Amino acid sequence: MSPVWQVLLLGNGSPTRLLQLLTQSVIAVEVLATEILGEEHDYYAPTEINLIATPRARRQIWLKASRTDEVLVYAVSWWHKDDLANFLPQPHLPVGTNLQNQRLELFRDLRGIYRGSCADLDQVFMTANVPNQLVENCYWGRHYLLWHGGKPLTLIYEIFNPAIAKYFA
């Protein structure tokens, strides 16, 4: 893993803010779905889902560079249903922006890093249009808990567009 990917994946800062700095663009949110899961277990979620109280809600989004409309990240977050409404009062904004606007102190607890491929994401991320030397021919992802007040507030899973590497050059 290159040093720049290490900074993006292992960093404690806001990934949205880092992407904004890299792309020199406002990062926009496209909400794909917000679903109330209730007491159901989400079998696609990392095991840390059990730390998020029920009834749960799941929010799926794209993070995009507004200047180019380029999709940079696919993200899913799981919340207690009431916390979703309370802590994301502006669902069209990134999680970090919503939480910063409320001046919340948070602890990011990185739980997993992934490397893989996905044909469905290839179409959305349009990696075929990026020169091979800029793409590591894989997707990097991670999941982490955000803690607030000694309790897990949300579980977040992110997959990054490998084309982000062109901004490192």
Side-chain angles (χ1 to χ4, degrees):
M1 179 187 316
S2 72
V4 181
W5 279 109
Q6 288 179 39
V7 169
L8 188 60
L9 292 167
L10 302 174
N12 251 355
S14 165
T16 304
R17 178 73 176 130
L18 183 55
L19 290 169
Q20 185 175 356
L21 292 170
L22 282 171
T23 64
Q24 295 295 296
S25 179
V26 172
I27 302 303
V29 170
E30 180 182 330
V31 178
L32 302 172
T34 302
E35 304 156 294
I36 303 301
L37 302 174
E39 307 295 322
E40 273 184 52
H41 181 75
D42 188 340
Y43 293 97
Y44 296 105
T47 57
E48 290 84 358
I49 188 71
N50 296 320
L51 297 172
I52 305 298
T54 58
R56 292 188 197 104
R58 177 180 57 213
R59 177 177 180 253
Q60 299 178 71
I61 64 163
W62 297 122
L63 289 178
K64 295 180 167 185
S66 61
R67 189 171 46 91
T68 61
D69 207 36
E70 178 182 20
V71 177
L72 303 170
V73 176
Y74 166 72
V76 183
S77 56
W78 292 269
W79 303 77
H80 180 275
K81 179 180 71 81
D82 295 337
D83 287 345
L84 179 68
N86 292 334
F87 290 101
L88 290 182
Q90 297 176 294
H92 63 284
L93 294 177
V95 168
T97 303
N98 272 283
L99 299 176
Q100 286 173 354
N101 288 346
Q102 298 175 56
R103 302 197 190 307
L104 290 182
E105 291 190 27
L106 301 166
F107 171 71
R108 186 182 319 271
D109 184 6
L110 182 63
R111 294 297 184 104
I113 294 178
Y114 309 96
R115 183 174 188 226
S117 61
C118 177
D120 291 337
L121 286 177
D122 288 343
Q123 293 176 351
V124 175
F125 288 157
M126 297 185 288
T127 53
N129 299 332
V130 177
N132 283 340
Q133 69 269 23
L134 293 179
V135 179
E136 295 188 26
N137 295 321
C138 68
Y139 293 107
W140 287 105
R142 67 181 183 171
H143 80 273
Y144 54 90
L145 290 160
L146 286 181
W147 293 75
H148 173 65
K151 296 184 225 174
L153 177 62
T154 183
L155 173 62
I156 299 177
Y157 180 88
E158 300 165 328
I159 301 173
F160 296 88
N161 184 339
I164 291 170
K166 70 185 173 196
Y167 297 106
F168 304 156

